[in-house]
Amino acid sequence: MSKGQAAALVAQARSATAQADAADAEWFIRALYAEHGKALLSYAARQLGNDWHRAQDVLQDAAVRAWRHAGSLGLTPEAMRPWLFRVVRNLVIDDYRARALRPSVPDPLDDLLVSVGDDVDRLLTAHVVQEALEDLTAQQREILREMYFNGHSVAHVSELLGIPTGTVKSRSYYAMRALKKALTARGVLG
């Protein structure tokens, strides 16, 4: 046998061993999860304040440790339950210690509010307000247009329409009430 052939045989043997190890690992992990996964996950989640994502991470880490130590412990996946609970408990303690040393810093992007240049909301609101204004009387619309849309004062509107200032105030009050009622009916105001 040549040196090249011997190297090829060694490579094939290593490949077959690696494939067998991968198949064994998959079987072991599946059996472990089937036998203990639900109980371990619930236990870890309770210990971590019902943080199921961190509990899943802890369980995965425990499963990897179980695979690494299965040979030295001489236990099958079915008989590892007490050991696994101890490992999960230790991993949870490690997690707490790590978080205490490195408190989480909020991501600056979490608090960032980005306004989007979208006029759809403004257009829809304008359309609903326009519909609500159509429910008002002509006098009410005129008072609101002059006071709120054109920005005129009570005195100016009084002079413009030729009515007393008290009447302008009264009409604007009742016009705003009617507008609020119309917008509430359309679901804009609660």
Side-chain angles (χ1 to χ4, degrees):
M1 178 181 294
S2 73
K3 192 174 184 180
Q5 290 173 333
L9 285 174
V10 169
Q12 284 178 343
R14 283 186 181 155
S15 175
T17 303
Q19 288 174 354
D21 284 347
D24 288 345
E26 183 177 348
W27 171 84
F28 183 87
I29 297 296
R30 286 184 188 276
L32 186 122
Y33 270 84
E35 187 73 25
H36 309 292
K38 189 174 181 180
L40 288 169
L41 185 61
S42 295
Y43 175 72
R46 278 193 315 271
Q47 298 300 313
L48 293 166
N50 288 328
D51 187 341
W52 290 91
H53 296 291
R54 283 178 34 215
Q56 288 171 347
D57 292 342
V58 165
L59 181 57
Q60 289 174 2
D61 197 9
V64 169
R65 289 180 186 206
W67 167 246
R68 287 185 186 150
H69 297 291
S72 64
L73 293 173
L75 298 173
T76 63
E78 297 81 22
M80 297 186 87
R81 193 176 192 101
W83 185 86
L84 285 167
F85 272 94
R86 175 56 106 192
V87 169
V88 167
R89 182 178 179 277
N90 290 342
L91 289 170
V92 167
I93 291 169
D94 290 347
D95 182 70
Y96 278 123
R97 288 177 181 162
R99 288 181 185 277
L101 289 175
R102 296 173 283 142
S104 63
V105 177
D107 190 1
L109 295 179
D110 288 345
D111 296 331
L112 182 65
L113 295 176
V114 179
S115 64
V116 179
D118 186 9
D119 290 333
V120 173
D121 194 35
R122 186 183 58 78
L123 290 173
L124 290 173
T125 302
H127 180 71
V128 172
V129 170
Q130 187 65 36
E131 281 183 352
L133 285 170
E134 290 173 10
D135 289 354
L136 305 180
T137 65
Q139 285 181 339
Q140 291 171 331
R141 281 194 303 269
E142 185 177 34
I143 290 288
L144 292 178
R145 181 173 48 288
E146 293 301 329
M147 288 189 68
Y148 296 101
F149 295 112
N150 294 338
H152 295 137
S153 67
V154 172
H156 183 78
V157 173
S158 171
E159 204 176 289
L160 186 68
L161 299 177
I163 56 176
T165 57
T167 304
V168 172
K169 290 178 186 179
S170 172
R171 285 184 186 171
S172 68
Y173 171 78
Y174 287 109
M176 287 300 288
R177 273 186 50 187
L179 181 61
K180 181 178 179 182
K181 184 178 177 183
L183 290 172
T184 302
R186 286 172 173 75
V188 175
L189 299 176

